[in-house]
Each structure stands twice: as C-alpha cells, then as structure tokens.
Amino acid sequence: MLGMCRGRRKFLAASLALLFIPALTWLYLSVGSFQVKPLPLSPLEAQSSTLVGGAGERQALELRVRAVEEENRALRRELSRPPRSPSARLPNSSHRGNQSRTHSEEGTGDNEGQKAAAVGNSSDCVQQPVVDKCETIHVAIVCAGYNASRDVVTLVKSVLFHRRNPLHFHFITDSIAQQILSSLFHTWMVPAVKVDFYDADELKSEVSWIPNKHYSGIYGLMKLVLTKTLPSDLQRVIVLDTDITFATDIAELWAVFHKFKGQQVLGLVENQSDWYLGNLWKNHRPWPALGRGFNTGVILLLLDRLRKLRWEQMWRLTAERELMSMLSTSLADQDIFNAVIKQNPFLVHQLPCFWNVQLSDHTRSEKCYKDVSDLKVIHWNSPKKLRVKNKHVEFFRNLYLTFLEYDGNLLRRELFGCPSEADHNSENLQKTLSELDEDDPCYEFRRERFTVHRTHLYFLHYEYEPSSDNTDVTLVAQLSMDRKSVVQLDMANNKKALVVPAFETLRYRLSYPKSKAELLSQLDMGTLFTFRYHVWTKGHAPTNFAKWRTATTPYRVQWEADFEPYVMVRRDSPEYDRRFVGFGWNKVAHIMELDAQEYEFVVLPNAYMIHMPHAPSFDITKFRSNKQYRVCLKTLKEEFQQNMSRRYGFAALKYMTAENNS
C-alpha cells in the first residue's frame, strides 16, 4: 500500500511539473502574500554578531516580533473572508507546522532512520490532523509564590502572542499566586481566555507523604494528581512548567493528541540530559526510567483514558515501591512519571524534542533544531535559568526577554470568527470608549482616562505583619521613614497630608545622606539641590526649605498655585484624576483636590527624598516637542477647574484665580 502511494505521488509530481507549471506560478503569486511566516529571526549556525548584542538587539527583535504580529492580523482579516475558490487554498501555520514537526515524530530527530521516516510522514496521502478554528485549548499550570507568578506571566504572554484559538487556563495555586493571578487576569481582560483556580493547599495531603529533594518542593509533585483535581468532564489538557517559553502556536501541540494510538495517554519529550542513564558522577543512582527517560516540563494528558486506567492507583503503588529503596525523589513528579513508564511503556506517545528544548547544562538540546524556525517550545529547566550554558543561549535569552518586556495590553485582541463569553467589565469599557469622539484632537488623553491597565500585585516578595496600632504606611516610592509622625499627628482621625521634602542631584553616583545633617552638608556644597529649583520653582517652593533646615517639629504650610509635593495620606484620600496621564498636572491636580477637601499640609522635619538623574521620559519629550500635546493638557486643566467649581462652588474660586495670576 505504501509503495502504491509513493508511486502515485511520483507520477502526480511528474505530471504537475510538465503540465501545470504556469498554473502553479499563478497560484503562488495570488496567495503568496497571505502566507503565515515564522518568526523572522536569523539562523543559528554561525552564531553571528546579531546574537551577541545587548539592548539594541532585543529592541530589534521586538520590532521584528511586532512586524510579524501585524502580518498575522492581516492574515486573520483575509481568512475571515469567504474563500475565493476551492483551488486557491491558503496555507496556514498549523498545516505548515505539521509538515515541519513530522521529521522526527518518533524521537529526537538525530538519526538517519528518523529522517527517512520524515519523508514518508510528509506525504499528501495522509491528511495531517488540524484543530478546529474555535476549539478551546486547555492548559494546566502549577504555580505557587511570588517568583513563579512572575515567570508564568512571561509564559502566558508567549502563548497569547502566537495563539489563534480560545484558551482555558487551569491554575493550581497557593493563596499568594491565586491573589496575584486572579487580579492580573481580571484587569487584563483578554478576549477568549478563561481562567480557573484550584487550591493547592487542599492537594498537599495527596503528595506530602513523598520526600522530595527538588527545589520545587511539594508543588513539584502536584502534576501527579491532575486527573483528580481537574473537572471530571475535561478529557485532555496540556500541562506546562512555569519556566516555558512558546515560539509557535500552541494549537500545533494540541493537534498532536490526534496522533495518540492504542493505550497511549501521555505525550512527553525524551529527557535531553544523561540524568537517568546514571553516569553523571560516581555512585549516581537515579530513579528507574525507560532509556534516557522523559522530561515532564511539557505533558499531553488524556485525562479520560488515564482515569479509566486508574492512574491514581498506578502512580501511588509505583511511588511506594520505589521509595523503599530510593528514599526520596530528586526530580519531583518526573521521577515518578518515569518509574511508571518504565513498567508501562505503552502509555507514552513520544513527542519530537523541539516541543521541549531543555536548556539545562550538558544536554543534547542542540540536536533538536537546525534553524530557529524548527523551535517550538523552550524550557529553562536549569536552576541557573537565563545563566545556563548553551551554544545559542544569547538567542534564547533575547527571545525570553522580548516576551518578558512585551506590552501585555497589545494581546487584548479578538479572535476572528470565534465568539467569546460576555465580559461585562470589557463590554462596559468598550461602550464608554465608543462614546468618545475619535476626531477629538485630545482623544488619546480622554481614552486613557478610562483604560483599565493590567495589574500585577506584589511583583516582589515581601513580608508583612499588620501593626497593632493601625498606623500602617504604604510608600509608593523607594524610601523608608519612621512612623512616629503618624501617631503624633493623629493621622487616623484627621485630614492631613504629610509633605516629604524633595531634593535632587545631577550626579549619577551619590553617597546617599544617612541623616538630615549630612543632607544639609551636601546641600551647602552644591552636591544636592532643592527639587526642580532651576526649572520649576513653584512646584515645591511652598515647602519652605529655609524653615525646614532648622525645623525639629512638623510645621504647616499653605496651598499655592502649582504646588506638587510628594505627600503621605490616608488610604481613603481622594485618588489621582485619571484624565492626567503622561507628563503634566497629575500631582498638581491631586494636591488641589486635597486642599479643596480641607486637608492640612504638614511638612515632616526629619524626612526627605532625593530624585536621581535619568533620561527624559517619552511623555515629557512629547510635551516639549508636540504643540498639540500642550494644547490638550491646557484643555484638560480647564475642564478639571470647571469640575472643581461645580463640586466645591465658591470655595473653588481661589484655584481659578491663582491659575490666572500664575
């Protein structure tokens, strides 16, 4: 049968070459402009100088990534239209991806036998499986703590960047990660993305009896209980570690489920290190594994079949047996998965290794690709992470950093032809934005006022214990100070805004003054200056720096036009007016609002902050160079003052008078 198929293919190829070259040329020209192109990155063979650059290279890479995104958007618009004719079939990335991935479908792709099989697998006699356009792809991730919560965002960005299908994320989290990620996705509002959380604390008893030496701790064992944790009607899921970066559409990986045969229930990539071979050092004794073993950073799970095979009982019996001699796991769940597979090899469908290119030291990861277009999934599975040793680590690091720094707001894009569940917050936002006049020269300012920015809570690890006297202070700056002032001024029961005197230096390196006396000495020597005295004196002049020099107790100052000090206020104080974004009048408007609500401005005698020099921001550059920006800012100021007059009546007259006199 295979011979007949190959013979037919040769005959068809010869016929096409002789008879239909003009038609093929026309077809190529008509559809070529709509091909989905892989990420246009340079080849890896020569390790050219473009891979060695620093920030400049990352910027160039980001520009290329955005260019590809624009191409993808154009393609989606084209694909959403009715097809012109059956013969003008547009190629798509999932079809092309299936062709490229079959060259090593049965292994790592480093021997001639597998290369020969690749030619057969790319035959047109067998239709490659595809994913339905609006089929939901399910992804499960175990995530716990502050660091993992940061890492998983980069993973999610890379998945969202390439995806064309609705996604349903299943996060197994501790309380910290759930708080962070639930807030993040709630404010992110990405269309066609659903998120569910599962309490990891409730699962600890299922795996806490297993001693584990791996740095992932108890959470590194929780992938073993996904059949019990995830919904009983969920049939299949892709399981990912948090240190994964996608370089292709995740739908290509989802399509591999169609290739499972017989009793295959696990899709895994072979481990690319010698760990399970037991030859890394003398007396190295790993857990049992089939050959090199398998890496569990990327897993395809057929949940319905696993449940029928009594997976829970299977892995528990295996773990209990092996722990009698091994005493503990070294690689968490991966050791137990491999021990089960050793006894039941029929469970595994081996994935090509480009679905899990493992960047740990001394791996065979370089055998998984010849060019960047071969890459699918990058796995930073070394404790060294971005510092890992690899021939092409600069390229991989730059790809990771591109997604780390990528603006997640750009991923708020609808999927063409795939209706998503109604999100009332998103709908209300879109309704509000639709009521704005896009022809208004200040449209961008007005739009920004209603824009919901995605919020990542507790980006850095912190330890917090509430104070018993209810005088907690949250400082939105990099400084520290004493609470005595908070207690003495009775902040809890009085409307006070504590002014922190601000200074600045023109030096990029400064020995930060450890006391007020040391600061005054640097002020006298010209190392420090009062903040913005040389460009905008009015902004901080009411602080009365002359009085501050000798003050030993807090003193009150009066509001003046353009006063914009750094203040500490109660949690229930007025918020910033969101119409003032970018540069100009955000602090001025806030201080004016505080004064209108009869807050007292009290200067702290022993607190201070220092502004360090930095490159001009993008917004201040626009303010200085763009006349329309300044015109819009003036318009917004006038609107704000009118709002103040309506709310505070005669009391707000002084603000308009002061503005006219300034």
Side-chain angles (χ1 to χ4, degrees), residues 53-88:
E57 186 208 354
R58 288 199 298 273
Q59 184 179 6
L61 181 61
E62 183 175 357
L63 291 175
R64 291 197 293 272
V65 168
R66 293 190 178 184
V68 174
E69 185 179 37
E70 291 301 321
E71 292 181 17
N72 288 342
R73 289 174 178 169
L75 174 65
R76 287 169 183 150
R77 287 194 294 269
E78 182 65 25
L79 291 179
S80 64
R81 301 171 185 169
R84 290 174 293 179
S85 67
S87 61

Side-chain angles (χ1 to χ4, degrees), residues 260-268 290 294 299-302 305-306 308-311 314-315 318 336-350:
F260 281 35
K261 299 178 181 178
Q263 291 183 292
Q264 293 176 343
V265 291
L266 303 170
L268 292 164
L290 191 66
F294 295 91
I299 315 175
L300 271 60
L301 291 183
L302 273 180
R305 293 189 191 176
L306 279 167
K308 292 177 181 178
L309 290 172
R310 297 184 178 179
W311 167 253
M314 187 183 297
W315 75 258
T318 301
I336 298 176
F337 270 102
N338 275 288
V340 173
I341 294 169
K342 175 74 172 180
Q343 298 296 320
N344 308 277
F346 58 87
L347 298 176
V348 179
H349 177 88
Q350 183 169 335

Side-chain angles (χ1 to χ4, degrees), residues 265-301:
V265 291
L266 303 170
L268 292 164
V269 170
E270 185 180 51
N271 200 48
Q272 291 158 23
S273 75
D274 293 343
W275 177 270
Y276 288 108
L277 299 180
N279 58 8
L280 292 183
W281 60 79
K282 187 177 181 180
N283 298 326
H284 175 217
R285 186 167 172 249
W287 275 55
L290 191 66
R292 307 185 69 87
F294 295 91
N295 184 278
T296 56
V298 177
I299 315 175
L300 271 60
L301 291 183

Side-chain angles (χ1 to χ4, degrees), residues 638-658:
E638 293 172 352
E639 292 176 358
F640 173 78
Q641 291 171 334
Q642 292 171 4
N643 291 343
M644 291 282 288
S645 297
R646 284 194 292 269
R647 281 186 291 158
Y648 301 108
F650 182 77
L653 181 62
K654 70 173 183 178
Y655 305 119
M656 300 189 68
T657 304

Side-chain angles (χ1 to χ4, degrees), residues 25-82:
T25 303
W26 175 85
L27 181 61
Y28 172 80
L29 293 175
S30 63
V31 304
S33 61
F34 302 117
Q35 288 181 344
V36 178
K37 300 179 182 179
L39 205 62
L41 307 174
S42 55
L44 296 176
E45 284 103 5
Q47 188 71 17
S48 64
S49 60
T50 58
L51 301 180
V52 183
E57 186 208 354
R58 288 199 298 273
Q59 184 179 6
L61 181 61
E62 183 175 357
L63 291 175
R64 291 197 293 272
V65 168
R66 293 190 178 184
V68 174
E69 185 179 37
E70 291 301 321
E71 292 181 17
N72 288 342
R73 289 174 178 169
L75 174 65
R76 287 169 183 150
R77 287 194 294 269
E78 182 65 25
L79 291 179
S80 64
R81 301 171 185 169

Side-chain angles (χ1 to χ4, degrees), residues 98-370:
N98 288 333
Q99 287 183 331
S100 65
R101 69 169 172 262
T102 54
H103 82 275
S104 59
E105 188 63 41
E106 302 304 323
T108 57
D110 56 352
N111 62 59
E112 294 301 322
Q114 289 162 352
K115 292 177 182 177
V119 178
N121 285 340
S122 63
S123 168
D124 292 333
C125 298
V126 181
Q127 179 65 35
Q128 295 291 344
V130 294
V131 178
D132 291 340
K133 181 178 180 181
C134 296
E135 180 179 351
T136 298
I137 296 173
H138 293 266
V139 181
I141 303 172
V142 179
C143 180
Y146 302 96
N147 295 337
S149 299
R150 290 198 306 273
D151 293 339
V152 80
V153 176
T154 305
L155 161 61
V156 170
K157 284 182 185 178
S158 69
V159 173
L160 291 175
F161 179 84
H162 297 285
R163 66 100 178 220
R164 297 183 179 182
N165 286 71
L167 296 172
H168 188 161
F169 288 101
H170 302 264
F171 288 106
I172 296 85
T173 61
D174 63 354
S175 58
I176 294 172
Q178 180 172 351
Q179 184 181 15
I180 294 172
L181 296 178
S182 60
S183 172
L184 179 72
F185 280 97
H186 177 72
T187 55
W188 203 343
M189 294 191 295
V190 182
V193 170
K194 185 177 180 180
V195 180
D196 280 323
F197 294 95
Y198 308 83
D199 190 354
D201 291 335
E202 295 181 359
L203 305 176
K204 287 182 177 180
S205 60
E206 302 284 341
V207 293
S208 59
W209 56 274
I210 304 174
N212 179 28
K213 294 181 180 179
H214 194 255
Y215 62 83
S216 59
I218 192 171
Y219 299 102
L221 297 164
M222 290 189 176
K223 284 184 280 188
L224 293 166
V225 296
L226 289 180
T227 54
K228 190 174 181 180
T229 307
L230 298 177
S232 58
D233 59 346
L234 182 59
Q235 297 183 350
R236 61 188 65 176
V237 68
I238 296 174
V239 186
L240 302 174
D241 281 354
T242 58
D243 53 359
I244 290 288
T245 305
F246 265 77
T248 193
D249 189 347
I250 195 172
E252 295 182 35
L253 181 58
W254 187 258
V256 179
F257 275 117
H258 295 290
K259 298 186 178 183
F260 281 35
K261 299 178 181 178
Q263 291 183 292
Q264 293 176 343
V265 291
L266 303 170
L268 292 164
V269 170
E270 185 180 51
N271 200 48
Q272 291 158 23
S273 75
D274 293 343
W275 177 270
Y276 288 108
L277 299 180
N279 58 8
L280 292 183
W281 60 79
K282 187 177 181 180
N283 298 326
H284 175 217
R285 186 167 172 249
W287 275 55
L290 191 66
R292 307 185 69 87
F294 295 91
N295 184 278
T296 56
V298 177
I299 315 175
L300 271 60
L301 291 183
L302 273 180
L303 296 171
D304 52 345
R305 293 189 191 176
L306 279 167
R307 295 181 182 112
K308 292 177 181 178
L309 290 172
R310 297 184 178 179
W311 167 253
E312 285 285 326
Q313 182 179 1
M314 187 183 297
W315 75 258
R316 284 178 181 275
L317 291 175
T318 301
E320 290 172 355
R321 182 180 65 248
E322 297 300 332
L323 283 171
M324 294 178 66
S325 59
M326 298 302 298
L327 303 181
S328 67
T329 60
S330 296
L331 299 181
D333 65 86
Q334 184 169 301
D335 285 338
I336 298 176
F337 270 102
N338 275 288
V340 173
I341 294 169
K342 175 74 172 180
Q343 298 296 320
N344 308 277
F346 58 87
L347 298 176
V348 179
H349 177 88
Q350 183 169 335
L351 303 175
C353 68
F354 48 61
W355 283 118
N356 185 351
V357 179
Q358 301 151 37
L359 296 184
S360 56
D361 293 341
H362 312 298
T363 69
R364 306 196 307 164
S365 59
E366 295 174 17
K367 296 181 180 292
C368 295
Y369 55 88
K370 293 182 179 178

